[in-house]
Amino acid sequence: MARNEEKAQSMLYRFREAQAAELGLGTRADRRPKMASACKSLRECERWRGEILREISRKVSKIQDTGLSDYEVRDLNDEINKLLREKRHWENQIVALGGANYRRNVAMLDDDGKEVPGTKGYKYFGRAKDLPGVRELFQSRKKEEEEENQAFAFYKKFMSQGPSYYGDLDENDGTLLQYERAAEEQDWEEAYSNLRETLGLSTDDPIPKIPRPDQSTLSPSQRHAQNSSTKHKTINGDEGGNDVDMASPEDDLERPNKSEESEPTGTPAVMDAAHAHAAAAASYIPFLVTENLLPPKMPTRQEMETVLLDLRKKALMDEYFGEEKA
């Protein structure tokens, strides 16, 4: 009978040992640890990770076999996912020991450059993708992607539109302004007729026109706002840009002087214009008084400063001499 040492040297024993090492079985003393954190050697961690990769490669090749039943395919797919989790543990341990970082989160893409479904979490390999229930899962994901692409293609034609799409250039030709003016006059006539019937006024009088602001009665601030809006429309509307009125630095220097020389709101000219508008409005309705339709009189800057100064003096007098007076 041969001894154990002689058995270990035989060719058949060496072949069986190499085959077991290739299959990942190994001897009892040379088995892979269940806990990756128990291994403190970087070289051993690299070795066990390589062994797991070989097992995964072998099982992925085996799961392509068409002779396997659905139960065997499910078991093989579960084993592959279990090995992938174990591989991730060993990779974390390698990083903890100062080794290379093998965990690269690179998304798997198909021929169209889209991420392949089933590449995160639980994964399906080979014939596992054709199992009942799994096939519908992939088809539903593909249908959702097609619906998203169709919705994006539908709304894509509304993106990156110019100012004409949003109606910013509708007033350039003046057609819209004329239509709006005609509609405004029609509404004014209807509203005036209804008000005249409600108040019981005479219907023989002609319907007055809409009181529109005149350039001569506008305040300097209103004229400046209207001119600035006109210039803005000219800049946006002209394609060639030849008629654009650009302000020169000399005009910028003259602006403070013009604003100082402009008439304040409370000047007689402005007050007369407001009184004329109030009188015209009160002439149509008998029970309205012109004084009630006038705009309120605003205090000037000097009057405001005088009032604030008096209040300050009064507060100081109360603070320092209030006890003596009491």
Side-chain angles (χ1 to χ4, degrees), residues 30-304:
D30 197 26
R31 287 182 179 175
R32 185 169 63 244
K34 293 183 178 180
M35 296 291 294
S37 58
C39 184
K40 303 300 180 182
S41 175
L42 181 59
R43 186 175 180 180
E44 291 295 323
C45 292
E46 296 277 2
R47 172 194 171 191
W48 297 127
R49 177 182 175 276
E51 182 179 326
I52 293 174
L53 287 176
R54 287 191 293 271
E55 291 184 20
I56 293 174
S57 178
R58 187 177 62 255
K59 291 183 182 294
V60 168
S61 301
K62 186 178 181 181
I63 204 174
Q64 309 290 341
D65 189 2
T66 56
L68 298 176
S69 61
D70 292 346
Y71 300 102
E72 293 176 340
V73 171
R74 291 182 186 274
D75 293 342
L76 269 176
N77 200 75
D78 293 339
E79 292 176 5
I80 293 173
N81 281 273
K82 183 179 179 181
L83 289 172
L84 289 174
R85 288 195 299 270
E86 188 176 356
K87 180 177 74 71
R88 187 168 62 251
H89 296 326
W90 284 106
E91 289 173 352
N92 293 335
Q93 182 64 13
I94 290 172
V95 173
L97 294 176
N101 185 10
Y102 296 101
R103 296 193 60 185
R104 298 183 181 89
N105 296 324
V106 180
M108 296 176 61
L109 304 178
D110 55 6
D111 297 337
D112 298 334
K114 300 179 182 179
E115 186 175 355
V116 178
T119 56
K120 296 181 180 179
Y122 191 87
K123 302 177 183 178
Y124 296 93
F125 301 89
R127 282 194 55 210
K129 297 179 181 180
D130 299 331
L131 291 173
V134 181
R135 187 188 304 108
E136 289 78 4
L137 176 64
F138 281 91
Q139 290 178 355
S140 63
R141 289 180 180 176
K142 189 175 181 181
K143 186 180 296 184
E144 291 177 359
E145 291 180 357
E146 291 178 355
E147 292 177 356
E148 292 178 358
N149 294 336
Q150 291 178 358
F152 179 75
F154 177 76
Y155 288 107
K156 189 176 181 180
K157 57 185 178 182
F158 300 106
M159 300 169 62
S160 302
Q161 297 291 338
S164 59
Y165 176 78
Y166 298 99
D168 296 340
L169 305 179
D170 294 343
E171 299 180 0
N172 290 345
D173 55 353
T175 306
L176 180 62
L177 295 178
Q178 295 178 1
Y179 176 78
E180 290 179 351
R181 184 181 291 268
E184 187 179 7
E185 292 177 354
Q186 184 179 359
D187 293 342
W188 167 265
E189 294 176 359
E190 292 179 359
Y192 188 85
S193 301
N194 295 334
L195 181 62
R196 189 164 53 183
E197 293 177 0
T198 303
L199 298 177
L201 301 177
S202 176
T203 58
D204 298 335
D205 299 334
I207 299 176
K209 295 183 178 180
I210 301 177
R212 302 185 185 276
D214 191 5
Q215 293 292 335
S216 60
T217 60
L218 288 178
S219 63
S221 60
Q222 292 175 346
R223 283 199 297 268
H224 177 68
Q226 187 173 3
N227 293 334
S228 63
S229 62
T230 307
K231 290 180 181 179
H232 179 69
K233 287 183 179 179
T234 306
I235 292 171
N236 292 338
D238 291 342
E239 296 178 357
N242 298 326
D243 299 335
V244 178
D245 186 10
M246 301 298 292
S248 61
E250 297 178 357
D251 297 339
D252 295 339
L253 295 176
E254 294 177 359
R255 281 178 186 173
N257 300 330
K258 290 182 180 179
S259 62
E260 292 176 0
E261 296 175 358
S262 61
E263 298 179 354
T265 310
T267 55
V270 178
M271 294 300 295
D272 292 342
H275 191 276
H277 281 294
S283 63
Y284 295 113
I285 303 176
F287 57 83
L288 292 180
V289 185
T290 306
E291 287 73 13
N292 296 336
L293 298 178
L294 289 175
K297 184 179 179 181
M298 301 299 294
T300 61
R301 184 181 181 87
Q302 294 179 355
E303 293 176 353
M304 291 294 296

